Amino acid sequence: MEMEECMNLTGLEISLVSMYAVFDGNKNENGKMDKDTFLRVLKEELPFFAQAAAKNNCDIFSKVDLDNDGFVDFEEFSKMVCSCACASHDTLEEAHKKHEQEKE
């Protein structure tokens, strides 16, 4: 992607690039996250979901590690992020409305 194209990214494209950057900055030499790294990233980047999983005694890693190889690859990570968005539609809608009101 050319630099000029990068400067014209939409908000959603920027979100996707940000998601990739989080994964890329935390993957190991095999292009995956181990359990400890994944749980740290979850706590740092999606604390609301990490807290909800802990509160519900949910082993989120085993739910995200779809192929049960002990690691989370980019596809699994992406599916988890999208699932978080789907599961929290109402919360995201409220946050967006609040953000828009603050801009006014």
Side-chain angles (χ1 to χ4, degrees):
M1 184 177 291
E2 298 293 323
M3 183 61 142
E4 186 176 304
E5 292 173 324
C6 289
M7 297 184 75
N8 294 319
L9 295 176
T10 67
L12 188 54
E13 289 170 326
I14 291 168
S15 296
L16 293 172
V17 170
S18 295
M19 178 183 62
Y20 176 78
V22 168
F23 182 84
D24 190 56
N26 290 283
K27 68 184 181 184
N28 64 19
E29 62 278 354
N30 295 320
K32 299 180 178 185
M33 287 186 205
D34 63 25
K35 184 175 184 173
D36 290 339
T37 301
F38 170 78
L39 293 175
R40 178 184 51 76
V41 168
L42 187 68
K43 286 179 186 175
E44 290 173 0
E45 299 292 336
L46 294 168
F48 174 80
F49 297 101
Q51 291 169 2
K55 184 178 179 181
N56 293 311
N57 293 323
C58 174
D59 180 9
I60 189 132
F61 183 81
S62 66
K63 293 185 182 306
V64 174
D65 179 20
L66 299 174
D67 61 5
N68 297 312
D69 69 348
F71 296 91
V72 171
D73 62 25
F74 182 68
E75 184 176 339
E76 293 166 328
F77 183 77
S78 300
K79 288 177 181 178
M80 183 267 310
V81 172
C82 291
S83 294
C84 288
C86 290
S88 62
H89 176 263
D90 292 340
T91 303
L92 292 171
E93 184 176 30
E94 287 178 35
H96 176 68
K97 285 179 183 177
K98 185 175 183 177
H99 176 72
E100 290 298 311
Q101 290 172 348
E102 290 173 357
K103 286 180 10 182
E104 294 176 354

